[in-house]
Amino acid sequence: MTTDGCLTSVPDPGTDEPVEICWTLFRPAGADRTAPVPMIMHSHGWGGSRETEASAFNDFLKRGYGVLSFDQRGFGESGGQAQVMDPAHEGVDVRRLVRMVAGLRWVQQDAPGDPRLGAIGGSYGGGYQFVGAFEELRTRGTPVFDALAPEITWHDLGQSLAPEDVVRVEWAAALGAAAVPTDALPVGVYQALVEGAVTGSWPDGDGPLGTDIEAFMRDNGPRYQVAQGRRLDIPVLLGQGTTDSLFPLEQGFRNWQRAITPAARRDSIFVGYNGGHVLPALFPRGIDVTSDPCSARLAGGDFRALSLRFFAEQLRGRDTGLRGYGRYHLATRDSTCTTVRTVAADRAVEIGTVRTPTVAGPQVLTPVQAGPVRVAGTPYLTGDVTTPTPGSRAFYGLAVGTSPADATLVQNNVLPLDEPTALTDQRRRVDLPSVAVDVPRGQTLYLLSSPVSDTFVGMGGRVPGLVTIEDGVVHLPLVGR
């Protein structure tokens, strides 16, 4: 049975008109008050809308789960404008949907007002899972959700869109454009995204529309909840794209390490797959691969198949033979799966001096480690930075190839070093994108540095100059060493 409807939630900021949140409810055959079933909540990514056809969830329905799919605030048939997972708005929306589900007699209840509940969805559809569970924890003392399966979502929205305050221009522009068809964003937020895409800096709230985008994003993600002393003590199947350049692998690592308790991690699984939010990586040159070898190894299929087994164990208490709990399972660019217990860097490799031009110039590749070697986790670079020109920027990542001429980025991503003032021999730690890669014999792992990046297009140094890192050390998360 399929039912459509809407419920009333809180007004948008600065208004007094309640907002309708619209949903479609799928009730599996045989579910009634004498045979109640668990519920799976679902929602869409940014710019999308809910699923209204049962065929989208046949795999869950035929296994005896109910499903609720909903349009998020500002999208589809729901009203209002997106507050981008603000706890006081989208958090309330999810709580009211949970309360509605708790009133359905054919849904299994763990306690009055506490349905047996899981959640699925990717990107923005992963964001609602965290804000909903954290807001239930804040208001009721329990997350109510019994298991989550968020994919390619964020921990810190501000750091995702502008690491080191350098705007990911292509993504800021894309997110703003995706909100235009439904007028999904408050005009000040849309203007801020456009301004960030053009100037590379977020407006500070002093402009004509008065939007401080950093303040707007401050509460909107697990990072804020963790800062308030909250962690989720429930199982989480966390999927993250190893080649994702919007919510990259390290955002998933932070959710795993900080947003859930150590006890919950023992009943959780982290899967990194090749995919996610991917744009062509032309300069510096990256790779083009889509694969999910870890879900295949764990569950014999894709992430959806893994989710079905995960929920069977966590919501129904069935032993499906699923293994891999408490570990990271990371896809390499060659579509193999590496499993590790930690992603911390544990080996330091001295690389000497790295000089990178600003504004324009060739990329620089510095040898780090000859193959064969396996790297899986979060590397970083330390060294003494000198730059004579204010506003100098350079972009760094790891690359693999037989020589500098054919080396490509491991995962299509770089991170910036931003020096607003001139300086001499100042010690710095430069974050490098998290990776999983097998470097075969005959190839070399390189530190790649570049004056420009197509993801951060136009966000290089402000004037010609040179960024020099002396006594450079690359810290690597090596496997099996």
Side-chain angles (χ1 to χ4, degrees):
M1 182 181 295
T2 302
T3 307
D4 296 306
C6 301
L7 56 76
T8 300
S9 192
V10 294
D12 282 345
T15 72
D16 55 12
E17 185 70 26
V19 169
E20 285 198 329
I21 303 299
C22 297
W23 47 263
T24 299
L25 181 66
F26 304 92
R27 177 176 175 176
D32 59 28
R33 63 186 305 172
T34 64
V37 300
M39 177 67 73
I40 300 293
M41 188 176 287
H42 164 269
S43 198
H44 54 82
W46 185 259
S49 59
R50 74 186 192 270
E51 299 288 352
T52 58
E53 299 295 330
S55 58
F57 303 110
N58 272 343
D59 46 1
F60 281 100
L61 294 169
K62 71 182 182 181
R63 288 170 172 81
Y65 296 96
V67 180
L68 177 73
S69 184
F70 71 97
D71 287 331
Q72 304 205 49
R73 179 179 293 246
F75 297 104
E77 294 181 323
S78 288
Q81 291 183 310
Q83 305 303 311
V84 198
M85 296 306 157
D86 179 13
H89 295 88
E90 282 86 357
V92 176
D93 300 342
V94 177
R95 284 168 43 209
R96 294 195 177 184
L97 289 164
V98 171
R99 185 171 64 188
M100 182 190 76
V101 167
L104 300 173
R105 295 186 175 184
W106 53 269
V107 173
Q108 184 177 349
Q109 305 288 318
D110 294 323
D114 184 359
R116 183 68 58 85
L117 185 62
I120 59 175
S123 191
Y124 204 56
Y128 88 86
Q129 299 180 49
F130 279 116
V131 74
F134 272 117
E135 278 300 287
E136 292 285 5
L137 177 63
R138 182 184 68 84
T139 59
R140 298 186 53 168
T142 174
V144 177
F145 288 86
D146 297 286
L148 307 178
E151 294 184 70
I152 55 173
T153 196
W154 69 91
H155 178 77
D156 181 341
L157 187 58
Q159 182 69 9
S160 295
L161 285 172
E164 305 303 316
D165 295 323
V166 182
V167 177
R168 283 188 164 108
V169 171
E170 287 191 324
W171 284 117
L175 293 172
V180 170
T182 58
D183 191 28
L185 275 172
V187 63
V189 177
Y190 174 77
Q191 180 267 346
L193 287 174
V194 171
E195 185 172 330
V198 172
T199 68
S201 300
W202 298 129
D204 58 10
D206 293 332
L209 296 175
T211 298
D212 182 341
I213 190 67
E214 292 181 331
F216 177 81
M217 295 187 295
R218 191 170 295 135
D219 300 352
N220 298 8
R223 178 182 178 274
Y224 165 78
Q225 301 286 348
V226 172
Q228 308 311 304
R230 291 185 280 272
R231 280 186 166 187
L232 298 178
D233 195 27
I234 55 175
V236 179
L237 172 61
L238 232 167
Q240 205 75 19
T242 60
T243 52
D244 194 308
S245 58
L246 174 59
F247 303 138
L249 194 56
E250 55 265 24
Q251 290 290 312
F253 288 169
R254 290 170 186 165
N255 279 331
W256 175 271
Q257 295 159 354
R258 303 173 188 178
I260 60 179
T261 66
R265 285 198 293 272
R266 290 195 290 270
D267 294 319
S268 301
I269 298 173
F270 189 107
V271 169
Y273 47 76
N274 291 312
H277 305 88
V278 178
L279 294 171
L282 303 177
F283 199 93
R285 187 160 55 97
I287 60 170
D288 182 14
V289 57
T290 301
S291 64
D292 187 4
C294 296
S295 291
R297 190 172 77 179
L298 292 170
D302 57 10
F303 190 85
R304 181 75 164 227
L306 178 57
S307 300
L308 288 165
R309 290 184 62 176
F310 177 76
F311 285 125
E313 298 208 348
Q314 301 301 329
L315 299 184
R316 295 185 178 276
R318 297 174 179 171
D319 184 359
T320 71
L322 181 60
R323 299 294 179 261
Y325 286 103
R327 294 177 175 84
Y328 304 87
H329 308 272
L330 307 175
T332 71
R333 61 193 246 157
D334 298 316
S335 298
T336 61
C337 181
T338 295
T339 295
V340 294
R341 290 184 178 272
T342 177
V343 293
D346 59 1
R347 182 175 180 182
V349 181
E350 296 180 1
I351 60 169
T353 300
V354 179
R355 293 184 175 89
T356 310
T358 61
V359 181
Q363 61 190 26
V364 178
L365 288 116
T366 304
V368 177
Q369 181 79 46
V373 65
R374 175 174 291 179
V375 180
T378 303
Y380 61 97
L381 168 67
T382 56
D384 298 324
V385 175
T386 296
T387 178
T389 53
S392 292
R393 292 173 177 173
F395 302 90
Y396 299 86
L398 293 181
V400 173
T402 60
S403 71
D406 66 10
T408 56
L409 284 171
V410 171
Q411 74 313 44
N412 290 1
N413 204 359
V414 292
L415 285 174
L417 169 67
D418 180 28
E419 295 294 352
T421 63
L423 51 86
T424 302
D425 290 337
Q426 293 293 310
R427 196 70 178 172
R428 291 285 187 267
R429 169 177 166 147
V430 181
D431 290 332
L432 300 175
S434 301
V435 298
V437 63
D438 287 316
V439 183
R441 189 177 303 278
Q443 297 194 25
T444 298
L445 182 71
Y446 294 93
L447 174 71
L448 183 150
S449 58
S450 174
V452 296
S453 161
D454 47 13
T455 302
F456 298 89
V457 62
M459 297 303 110
R462 294 298 183 254
V463 296
L466 193 69
V467 174
T468 301
I469 298 179
E470 294 183 301
D471 298 323
V473 178
V474 174
H475 303 260
L476 294 175
L478 293 187
V479 180
R481 291 284 182 102

